[in-house]
Amino acid sequence: MGTYLPNKKDFVYGFKRGFPIALGYIPVSFTFGLMAVNGGISPLMAVFISLTNLTSAGQFAGTNLIIEGAGFFEITLTTFIINIRYMLMSLSLSQKINPGISLLQRLIFGFGITDETFSIASVEKGKLSYYYMMGLITGPIVGWSFGTALGAFTCSALPQSISNAMGIALYAMFIAIIIPPARKSKSILMIILVSIGINMLLKYIPLFSFISSGFRVIIATILGAGTGAALWPIEDERKE
Amino acid sequence: MSYTLIAVLLMALVTYIPRVLPISIFRKEIKSKYIKSFLQYVPYAVLGALTFPDIINSTGNYKTALFGTVVALILAYMEKSLVLVALGSILTVLVMGIVF
């Protein structure tokens, strides 16, 4: 840590680390903007969703449910279940940040914890400062909202074939996130397959047709991750 | 307040809470290896269930979606970046849209 303006230095360094994430967010949030507006959500509301939620899976699922006219309980529970994973990241970061960071500062930068900012922050050396975290999350917040605005406002100008094709972007990104770890870990692969299997059973067996898509994903997730935790609990490999 | 605005604010709340609760309150590590494992496995389970089988309906034509899915799986297996996997998949759907 430098002594001359360390806060500014930390912020700039964090911003540089977050910039590639911001770029990567643009095509995905563009797709979100398209999807939301195609579903009847106003462009401004689409940008507001991205600004206030700043998340991919939870926000896509929640917005889909809004478009379907689902109830508040289902929307809230689905979004919450999808976002439970942030608790682990938040917990993990609590060991990684400078212990002197105040509660208010934690409440501020915590807003910007995403799968990607968490991944970058986790691999930094040493303790993380508040200003580093603020620099890190700034680009991604701007990129996510900017991409959403692009998608939402250009929606009607795009040829149908292109907006149809962009519908696969989010799913492709999910595949890009889960396949590399599944390739290395048999337990992760099995958990993914269990979860998909349960999701498909609930979707295609008429007996379960009363279960909405949101709850299907919740049930599949809990049973899939639960099976994994019961059969392949992760032993602590390192002590700090 | 409109239905959409209330729903969005609820979503924002339940997205924000898991992010800040642990980092604000828990200063110690979770002990139970089962809870830790469950939390670590959640993203894979949830992303799997969100993707399959719904990806097949994501383009409005299951044939183009199938090709897009296969290309995404191959690129992801080769550990290409998120952006590359997404763009490769979109391009595949676009090209296949001309065929089918």
Side-chain angles (χ1 to χ4, degrees), chain A residues 38-71:
Chain A
N38 279 334
I41 307 251
S42 75
L44 274 180
M45 181 59 86
V47 176
F48 182 71
I49 295 173
S50 285
L51 259 180
T52 53
N53 282 255
L54 186 70
T55 183
S56 58
Q59 154 178 351
F60 270 86
T63 305
N64 260 325
L65 288 172
I66 292 175
I67 291 168
E68 289 170 21

Side-chain angles (χ1 to χ4, degrees), chain A residues 64-77:
Chain A
N64 260 325
L65 288 172
I66 292 175
I67 291 168
E68 289 170 21
F72 291 132
F73 179 69
E74 185 181 344
I75 294 171
T76 309
L77 188 62

Side-chain angles (χ1 to χ4, degrees), chain B residues 81-92:
Chain B
S81 70
L82 298 194
V83 182
L84 211 68
V85 175
L87 289 180
S89 180
I90 292 170
L91 275 179
T92 306

